[in-house]
Amino acid sequence: MLKIAVCDDEKNIRSYLISLIREQDVKCEISEYALAEDYLSDDTEYDLLFLDIELDGSGSGMDGIGLARQIREREQGRQPVIIFVTGHEKYVYDAFDVDAFQYLVKPVDEQKFAEIFRRAQDKILSEAEQRKKTLVIRHGGASKVIPLDNIYYMESQGHKIVLYTKDGQMEYYARIGELEEELRGHFCRIHKGYLVNLACVDEYSKTEILLTNGDRMPLSKYKYEHFVKAYLRFVQ
């Protein structure tokens, strides 16, 4: 199920783009926004964003490029594939500065839309498969890909997560509950503040876990049974 957003200040353009999306052979949820601040005030994480470059900046003074730049500067959350929609091709060069996937020129050609949509969908699905083997984080204003096998465990510290990896420590903004869901099957929550890589478990008792790097982790009595089941499923 793809989560798709359409952000354009012209209602007729939003309606037309949504109708084109509906014609594609894909299950999706679609949301629409007229202003940049409307998009930014929503915490929903989208897979794909159709964004008007000449977005009316009423209220915030922010056009489509400005909105895309704010999205790319976020340290937290998944980054959407961005497809710009513009009435003037002269603006498309600015799109490369914010890592746009592609652009469509108004009036939007239906065949061109279908072709670009299919390519965007392939990219999204490919990245989803890759996320099963890697963790993609926002660090230092850029996306960083970390192989799951490189991570021993994760620790929650306020609004940040500290990764303990084979290359050292690294921290970024994330929620441990969301990571627990995303990495289920490969990582296990053993304590309120810790997720461990099941591949890095050397031995365990009822109160602690010894990892392959020598670190000893506290195992909550409330998580013990859950951990044992997860670990046995992992090693079978």
Side-chain angles (χ1 to χ4, degrees), residues 91-182:
Y91 292 117
V92 302
Y93 296 105
D94 296 326
F96 297 109
D97 294 333
V98 288
D99 192 27
F101 176 71
Q102 195 43 280
Y103 68 92
L104 292 163
V105 178
K106 301 175 184 177
V108 176
D109 178 78
E110 295 186 17
Q111 185 174 346
K112 182 72 172 176
F113 180 94
E115 175 191 338
I116 290 177
F117 187 93
R118 178 186 55 77
R119 288 168 51 203
Q121 183 183 5
D122 288 345
K123 176 179 173 64
I124 292 165
L125 294 177
S126 174
E127 289 178 349
E129 283 298 313
Q130 187 66 13
R131 281 198 297 272
K132 294 178 181 179
K133 303 175 184 177
T134 61
L135 180 67
V136 181
I137 69 173
R138 294 291 292 176
H139 186 263
S143 294
K144 187 174 181 63
V145 180
I146 304 173
L148 294 183
D149 289 342
N150 259 19
I151 304 170
Y152 291 112
Y153 67 97
M154 306 176 184
E155 180 184 4
S156 175
Q157 293 185 0
H159 297 295
K160 291 184 177 181
I161 294 292
V162 180
L163 303 179
Y164 295 84
T165 77
K166 295 176 181 178
D167 302 315
Q169 297 181 23
M170 180 181 301
E171 64 178 39
Y172 73 109
Y173 289 98
R175 298 184 180 93
I176 195 168
E178 294 177 357
L179 285 170
E180 181 181 11
E181 289 298 317
E182 179 183 345

Side-chain angles (χ1 to χ4, degrees), residues 5 7 9-10 17 20 30 40 50 58 71 124 138 156 163 167 201 228 232:
C7 191
D9 58 327
E10 297 181 69
L17 290 173
L20 292 180
I30 307 172
L40 290 173
F50 288 92
S58 298
I71 292 171
I124 292 165
R138 294 291 292 176
S156 175
L163 303 179
D167 302 315
V201 173
V228 172
L232 292 177

Side-chain angles (χ1 to χ4, degrees), residues 75-102:
E75 294 287 348
Q76 195 169 348
R78 187 167 67 248
Q79 288 284 316
V81 170
I82 297 178
I83 296 175
F84 276 118
V85 184
T86 178
H88 305 281
E89 287 194 71
K90 64 181 181 180
Y91 292 117
V92 302
Y93 296 105
D94 296 326
F96 297 109
D97 294 333
V98 288
D99 192 27
F101 176 71
Q102 195 43 280

Side-chain angles (χ1 to χ4, degrees), residues 181-198:
E181 289 298 317
E182 179 183 345
L183 303 174
R184 188 179 300 280
H186 202 125
F187 281 72
C188 182
R189 187 91 166 260
I190 62 165
H191 190 275
K192 182 180 180 181
Y194 293 103
L195 276 173
V196 298
N197 188 340
L198 293 170

